[in-house]
Every structure is written in structure tokens, then in C-alpha cells.
Amino acid sequence: MQACNRAILERMQSPVALIPQLAAHLIAAGGKRLRPLLTLASARLCGYEAGPDHQRHVGLAACVEFIHTATLLHDDVVDESTLRRGLESANALFGNKASVLVGDFLFARSFQLMTADGSLQVMAILSDASATIAEGEVLQMTTQNDLSTPVERYLEVIHGKTAALFAAACRVGAVVAGKGKKEESALEIFGTNLGMAFQLVDDALDYAADQQVLGKTVGDDLREGKITLPVLAAYAAGSDEDKKFWERVIEASDQEESDLDHALKLITQTGAIKATLDKAAEYAEAAVKALEIFPDSELKDLLARTVLYTVHRAH
């Protein structure tokens, strides 16, 4: 991870001073570095021997983080977010234009890292994931403010915008290590299910977390009219009066200052958070099961504990 962080800092540099300044605001703010960790751990799990001349996994882990960071910069502009990782978001600090353009720069850097790796298979996996992320974000935009969205469509959204990159981050680890389809497939399934669990918990936290712990504004999803499982579950289980409330605040975007508190109350009363976390636990179980093909090791245990961390960060 230290080598990966060095690679990230090195490759975000540019003679255009605003680029590293803005990128550093988000990247240096920390974050969990979960996606690059998955690439590094997956490669080592598959027997990749790191050394001075064997650093492919490090470059690709940095690549994965750049793809993720680029999407965060763009997402915050689209969502008009003001907080990210507990700090002012880049768009709030530097403006929308700079955030979009630096996001573009980081996407371009990620493709430079892919080409430097030299594997067409790796490039196909990561470029496909990049396209899927964009599709997921657009699909989410089309479901916004629509309470008739089926749960299946919501799951399709989070698969695109989150789980696809988790899956790719894990799968390239197997490719770098020269493993076959069996290991590739297992790690792709692991990453997909971990990503689904991660986003479900993230959506639950938007209605259940302390803002300082969450690192972003609680209730952002409500204000933006985003359709997430906590809202769909609360709407489905609510009374006629409750449904009218959700239709006003989500579909009509007619919101008052007290609406967030009432929304939190309804979500608690209907057990919507529990339903969301239960669904996340199902995906987490499937993620851990996918690792069964690998022999027991410290790295396998690390990846299993990463799943547990993901689902229990809500508590």
C-alpha cells in the first residue's frame, strides 16, 4: 500500500499546478483505499511475487484508485455535494469546472497506467468497468425521484456505479498473477458481491450515520431525490399517509427543513435500515463463499475480514 500511495502521488503530478493541487485535496484526504487494496491483495492471494521488477500490481492498484477518484470528482459535481471524506468537496472549494476537468485528467492517467502495464486483457477489464460505471451513474439519474423504481433496477444501478469497479479491481489481480479462469471468476464474484454490500451499507448510512463518522452530509440522498433501498423499503411498508410524504419529498422535490427528521423516523419505524443491512449481509456471505477455492492464508483471511468491515461499519 505504501508503494501504491507513492505511485498515486507521483502520477497525479502535472506542470499545470491546479491539477495536483485539486487532486491532492481529495486523494490526500485519505479515504479507505479499499479498491487498490483489493487489487494488491488479490494478486498476492494468487501467488504474485512482488519485487523490484515485479510491480504490476502496484501500478494497476494506482490505476483503480484514479478511476475511482475521477468518478468521485464528477459525482460531487452532478450531486452538488459540499462534503467529501469529512472535508469540503473539491467542487465546493475549486468550482465545478475545475473538478470536472481534473476528473478527466485522472481518467486519462488511469488509461496511461493501463497501457504501461501492457496487457490487453487488463485494459479490457478496466476499460469495461469504466464504461459500466458511467452507465450506472446515468441509470441512477434516470431513476431519480421515481418511487416506482423496482428494487431490481436499484440493484442494477449499484452494480454499475460501485460493484463493477470492485469486481475489476479483484479480477486484474488474478490476471497479473497469471492465474486461469477459475481464479479470475472467483475473484470477480468476490469483488462484485463485496461492492454490492458496500453500496447497500453506504445507502443505509445516509439515513443512519453520524455526519462526522460518515464524512459527508447525512440526508444528501433525500435532498437529491435518490432512489435507494432504505427509501424503497420505507415507502413499500408505509401507510397511505407515509406514502404521500415520500411522494412529496422524493417525487415532487417539495421539501421542508423538518422533512429529514420525519424521513429518518419513518425509515426507523418501518425497519428499512435493517432490511437494507440484511440485504448487504446476503451479498457479504456470497463474497466470502467465493474465496473458498483458495487455500487458507493470511491474505484470504484479510479479504474475508474486509467483507466483515464493510458490513459492520454501520454499527
Side-chain angles (χ1 to χ4, degrees):
M1 282 304 295
Q2 288 175 348
C4 177
N5 285 334
R6 287 194 296 270
I8 289 167
L9 292 171
E10 180 185 327
R11 296 309 294 261
M12 75 183 195
Q13 297 307 313
S14 164
V16 180
L18 181 59
I19 291 174
Q21 186 184 358
L22 191 152
H25 173 74
L26 183 55
I27 291 171
K32 292 170 282 293
R33 293 280 199 277
L34 185 52
R35 294 155 188 82
L37 171 70
L38 292 173
T39 298
L40 298 173
S42 295
R44 298 296 293 273
L45 179 72
C46 289
Y48 185 75
E49 292 294 336
D53 299 321
H54 296 88
Q55 292 289 302
R56 288 180 67 194
H57 63 326
V58 172
L60 292 174
C63 171
V64 165
E65 184 67 2
F66 279 149
I67 293 171
H68 175 54
T69 306
T71 64
L72 294 186
L73 286 171
H74 289 166
D75 287 354
D76 284 346
V77 171
V78 171
D79 297 339
E80 299 178 2
S81 299
T82 57
L83 278 179
R84 170 68 67 179
R85 293 172 178 166
L87 302 173
E88 270 191 293
S89 61
N91 53 302
L93 202 57
F94 297 95
N96 287 340
K97 292 179 183 178
S99 289
V100 169
L101 293 171
V102 174
D104 291 344
F105 170 84
L106 293 178
F107 261 130
R109 269 287 189 258
S110 74
F111 277 83
Q112 287 178 326
L113 285 161
M114 286 180 224
T115 54
D117 179 73
S119 165
L120 282 176
Q121 186 182 5
V122 163
M123 181 174 280
I125 291 167
L126 291 173
S127 58
D128 285 352
S130 299
T132 301
I133 293 166
E135 288 172 341
E137 294 290 353
V138 174
L139 185 60
Q140 178 172 261
M141 187 177 68
T142 65
T143 65
Q144 200 157 318
N145 307 106
D146 184 4
L147 288 165
S148 68
T149 301
V151 170
E152 293 72 25
R153 178 56 59 90
Y154 159 76
L155 294 174
E156 189 182 341
V157 167
I158 67 172
H159 175 269
K161 75 172 199 168
T162 301
L165 187 57
F166 276 75
C170 294
R171 187 180 167 194
V172 294
V175 174
V176 161
K179 290 297 182 182
K181 292 293 182 188
K182 182 182 173 185
E183 289 84 359
E184 264 189 65
S185 176
L187 283 168
E188 184 175 24
I189 291 167
F190 168 78
T192 298
N193 283 285
L194 174 57
M196 295 295 287
F198 183 93
Q199 190 58 54
L200 280 158
V201 172
D202 215 49
D203 290 347
L205 286 173
D206 201 74
Y207 290 96
D210 180 284
Q211 187 163 302
Q212 287 183 314
V213 174
L214 187 59
K216 60 182 182 180
T217 312
V218 171
D220 269 352
D221 288 354
L222 180 75
R223 282 182 280 273
E224 293 159 20
K226 279 187 182 173
I227 300 301
T228 61
L229 191 55
V231 168
L232 291 176
Y235 181 71
S239 65
D240 288 345
E241 185 181 346
D242 295 341
K243 284 183 167 62
K244 285 177 183 175
F245 166 80
W246 289 114
E247 287 159 8
R248 173 174 65 80
V249 298
I250 296 288
E251 294 197 330
S253 296
D254 176 13
Q255 298 186 9
E256 300 166 2
E257 198 172 325
S258 61
D259 286 339
L260 176 58
D261 286 340
H262 190 59
L264 296 175
K265 181 182 171 185
L266 292 181
I267 279 175
T268 301
Q269 284 177 350
T270 55
I273 295 297
K274 183 180 184 303
T276 303
L277 295 178
D278 285 349
K279 190 71 176 172
E282 290 177 22
Y283 283 109
E285 187 179 340
V288 173
K289 187 173 177 56
L291 296 174
E292 287 179 357
I293 71 157
F294 297 98
D296 290 342
S297 67
E298 189 179 347
L299 278 164
K300 179 178 172 179
D301 184 53
L302 169 70
L303 287 169
R305 283 188 286 118
T306 301
V307 176
L308 292 176
Y309 158 75
T310 294
V311 293
H312 291 297
R313 65 199 171 104
H315 303 300

